[in-house]
Amino acid sequence: MTTRLLGAVAALALLAACSNTDQNAAQTGAGNTIRPGSQEDLVANVGDRVFFDFDSSQVRADQRPVLQRQAEWMGRYPDVRVQVQGNTDERGTREYNLALGQRRANAARDVLVASGVNGARITTISFGKDRPTALGSDESAWAQNRNATTVVQ
């Protein structure tokens, strides 16, 4: 009787351990753990990009919470430096889109700084229309490509 009871307890413990491992593998993808303060951590737990309206570099009200979360996340990892990359959709000239992408990157950086992040930890760059997130020439693709993406350096 005691042997059966111990066997049952051991089986339950083993199932519980396997269940936790499977759950963690699902959360982190293929069993890998996400390193705190990494790009993967930022993407999985905070969000790495904010989106803009057509021909605008003003951070939309619905996108400010993403930047707030990024600022809080950076507060937890004071050694992390980031680059904010401004992007545009394919419409417009290369020169215009490079300038618009830079304004978008700067706008996102300004919100991070206003939220308490030391500006020395943030660099900006514009890729204009050269690095699209989504391929296609329709509003769905264009909306995804109008963004500022935060990348851990």
Side-chain angles (χ1 to χ4, degrees), residues 15-143:
L15 283 174
C18 289
S19 173
N20 289 340
T21 301
D22 290 343
Q23 185 179 18
N24 291 340
Q27 291 174 351
T28 60
N32 297 330
T33 58
I34 295 176
R35 184 175 48 84
S38 67
Q39 182 69 29
E40 295 78 15
D41 181 29
L42 177 68
V43 171
N45 297 309
V46 177
D48 68 335
R49 67 193 63 208
V50 293
F51 298 94
F52 293 85
D53 291 330
F54 174 71
D55 197 30
S56 174
S57 59
Q58 181 176 358
V59 176
R60 297 184 341 210
D62 66 327
Q63 298 300 299
R64 286 185 177 274
V66 175
L67 293 169
Q68 279 295 133
R69 289 192 308 270
Q70 287 182 9
E72 291 166 4
W73 182 86
M74 289 184 72
R76 288 192 299 274
Y77 304 105
D79 293 334
V80 169
R81 300 176 64 81
V82 300
Q83 180 180 70
V84 179
Q85 302 173 346
N87 300 286
T88 67
D89 63 37
E90 66 186 357
R91 299 172 290 178
T93 66
R94 183 175 194 284
E95 294 77 18
Y96 179 81
N97 282 322
L98 282 172
L100 178 58
Q102 189 63 53
R103 290 193 303 273
R104 288 175 175 169
N106 291 344
R109 180 205 57 214
D110 291 348
V111 173
L112 290 171
V113 169
S115 299
V117 179
N118 182 340
R121 297 174 57 197
I122 307 168
T123 60
T124 60
I125 190 168
S126 173
F127 292 118
K129 59 184 175 180
D130 293 338
R131 292 190 180 182
T133 300
L135 299 178
S137 296
D138 58 20
E139 184 54 40
S140 174
W142 293 332

